[in-house]
Amino acid sequence: MLSLLTWQSCKAESGPLFLTHLSNGLTVVVKERHSVPLVAIDLWMRAGAREEHRDEDGTAHFLEHMLFRGTTERPGEEADISAERFGASLDAETGPDALHIYTTVEAVHFAPVLQIIGDVAQHALLPDSAMEKERGVILDELARRDADPINRLITLLYAHTYSDSAPYHRSPGGTPEGIALRARDTLMAFYQRCCRPDRSALVLVGDVTPKQVLPEVVQVFGGWQAVGTTTPQPIVNQEPQWPETSLLTVKGDAAQWIAAVALRAPRAANKTMVAAGFVLADLLQSAFADHDPEADLQVHFSPRRDPSLYVFTFRAESQEQLRRRGQELLHLLQQLQLSVPQDLFLEARQRAIGRLDYQTETDEGYATAIGEALTTGGDLPDQLRERLQNLTLQDAELFLSRYLRTQDAFTVVMEPALTSKVSGENLRP
């Protein structure tokens, strides 16, 4: 039985949030929410695409698929089948900073489902016999991802604003070329290097108490030890670096013209600036929609462990209309640099709080928010809500002056398939 540190309690609206560490380094968080008899189980591991070496493109995503294809205790697809017997469905997701395994189950079935997740995380076999089947599934996922023009544009933005050696140069899902090359030995080496208790956090949210679940957690995860002595090499934080040409034009399959504009964004640990970024995203989308709702301006901002991108996307029916909308966005940003209207700021701040409340309304959503915060160094949900409530107009203005400087923009334009070659100068905002 491993020793445990003293539970730390943080104030939270729906009940206390408890955090501790097992002596093997595993972080354990329990958030009590007793409105329904369910519990979300979410295991986060710092095994995202950020941890891949240059010759490991797509390894994190491939590993996510292979984790459920057999363990030392549950061969084949028995882990999935066993969880379904308790009314749970096992899921996993790979992002830039983390890989996580999650499910929601009735609280009375918490213990056996926790054992299944613990088995998958600690004892995956990654059998050769399942590699080709999963390779096909992943390639299909990548094709569907690339069929979404917005996803494709954002992938291009990261690829062109980060050097080949930077962790965010690579898409979290990998590339078809990388997936085609991946072999079991690469996946196993990555699994042993990154899926370790000292790099993981178990998040439990729902109709449970720390006293109820802690003995089960220790039983399942207390013996988890890192395999071998290989540890991930420290990654040097890298800022995005704009290429000499600030505009890239690509051919697309959509009927419309689409543009994606990238500006710099803070790392998740820069918590006040992150909160300001969320509020300004609401403010900008609302202000632009009032002026031009057909443009469908969207702001894409998901704070990462390292500095990342703040991305605007918008659409148009013609090249000239796209150019005008780019100028309108530029003009709006320039106006806000001079002065942010207080009434718009207060409305946007309230919408950002409402969005956070909506995202954390379910146990699963709350667990995801906690896991993301722990793996990126950002605010826990209740801390973020309080930070948003206390955010000032001056904070928003600082974000604008520090990050949303229009002279730093890098733009990718996707033209419809049936067009002549585009002049980059004509489209430059």
Side-chain angles (χ1 to χ4, degrees), residues 44 74 97 102 157 230 263 272 295 304 311 348 385 408 411:
W44 287 73
R74 296 173 174 84
D97 293 308
Y102 60 97
L157 287 176
T230 303
L263 294 160
T272 298
R304 299 184 177 188
V311 177
R385 194 178 198 283
D408 293 336
T411 303

Side-chain angles (χ1 to χ4, degrees), residues 7-324:
W7 289 98
Q8 300 174 13
S9 177
C10 302
K11 183 179 179 182
E13 288 185 16
S14 56
L17 183 147
F18 296 98
L19 182 149
T20 193
H21 304 277
L22 302 190
S23 61
N24 60 3
L26 178 68
T27 299
V28 182
V29 178
V30 183
K31 171 71 173 178
E32 296 184 48
R33 286 163 55 115
H34 299 291
S35 57
V36 292
L38 300 174
V39 58
I41 306 172
D42 203 345
L43 178 64
W44 287 73
M45 297 174 283
R46 295 207 308 274
R50 179 183 183 275
E51 310 299 332
E52 295 171 350
H53 296 161
R54 295 182 68 173
D55 58 349
E56 292 180 330
D57 170 44
T59 298
H61 187 192
F62 212 139
L63 175 62
E64 170 212 318
H65 281 253
M66 291 296 294
L67 286 175
F68 299 104
R69 295 298 169 255
T71 72
T72 54
E73 298 294 326
R74 296 173 174 84
E77 299 184 2
E78 184 59 32
D80 279 321
I81 295 170
S82 298
E84 289 170 1
R85 294 192 185 107
F86 297 101
S89 177
L90 298 181
D91 286 299
E93 185 176 22
T94 305
D97 293 308
L99 184 162
H100 70 123
I101 306 168
Y102 60 97
T103 192
T104 298
V105 68
E106 287 187 85
V108 294
H109 299 313
F110 162 78
V113 174
L114 182 72
Q115 291 173 3
I116 296 168
I117 289 178
D119 186 27
V120 168
Q122 299 173 66
H123 308 124
L125 293 174
L126 314 182
D128 270 322
S129 58
M131 288 285 293
E132 292 311 310
K133 177 182 177 181
E134 292 306 318
R135 196 187 313 274
V137 173
I138 296 168
L139 290 173
D140 180 70
E141 285 184 3
L142 296 184
R144 285 186 280 117
R145 179 199 68 185
D146 289 343
D148 182 333
I150 301 299
N151 282 343
R152 184 181 168 198
L153 288 177
I154 292 174
T155 297
L156 286 170
L157 287 176
Y158 275 93
H160 282 81
T161 57
Y162 284 84
S163 68
D164 291 350
S165 61
Y168 296 148
H169 174 81
R170 296 176 292 278
S171 166
T175 63
E177 297 78 13
I179 295 299
L181 292 173
R182 293 291 72 82
R184 180 184 180 275
D185 58 346
T186 304
L187 268 62
M188 182 59 75
F190 185 84
Y191 174 57
Q192 294 177 348
R193 188 174 81 234
C194 299
C195 298
R196 304 157 51 105
D198 55 330
R199 298 173 54 83
S200 302
L202 177 66
V203 183
L204 308 172
V205 178
D207 191 24
V208 292
T209 67
K211 183 178 179 180
Q212 291 172 330
V213 300
L214 184 56
E216 298 292 343
V217 170
V218 172
Q219 180 182 353
V220 173
F221 291 98
W224 187 9
Q225 298 296 326
V227 177
T229 59
T230 303
T231 59
Q233 294 295 316
I235 295 175
V236 178
N237 294 334
Q238 296 192 36
E239 300 273 354
Q241 300 294 323
W242 282 189
E244 291 184 6
T245 302
S246 60
L247 176 68
L248 172 69
T249 301
V250 298
K251 186 73 75 174
D253 298 322
Q256 292 178 302
W257 293 77
I258 308 173
V261 181
L263 294 160
R264 289 176 171 82
R267 58 172 53 88
N270 194 345
K271 298 173 184 178
T272 298
M273 287 297 94
V274 165
F278 289 147
V279 171
L280 281 168
D282 273 290
L283 190 156
L284 288 160
Q285 287 179 171
S286 177
F288 204 86
D290 288 344
H291 175 69
D292 188 356
E294 297 300 320
D296 188 29
L297 178 76
Q298 299 294 323
V299 180
H300 308 264
F301 175 44
S302 298
R304 299 184 177 188
R305 192 174 185 87
D306 299 321
S308 60
L309 301 180
Y310 201 83
V311 177
F312 301 92
T313 60
F314 54 95
R315 303 168 184 267
E317 299 300 325
S318 68
Q319 178 180 353
E320 175 58 25
Q321 187 182 57
L322 192 77
R323 185 189 65 81
R324 287 200 312 270

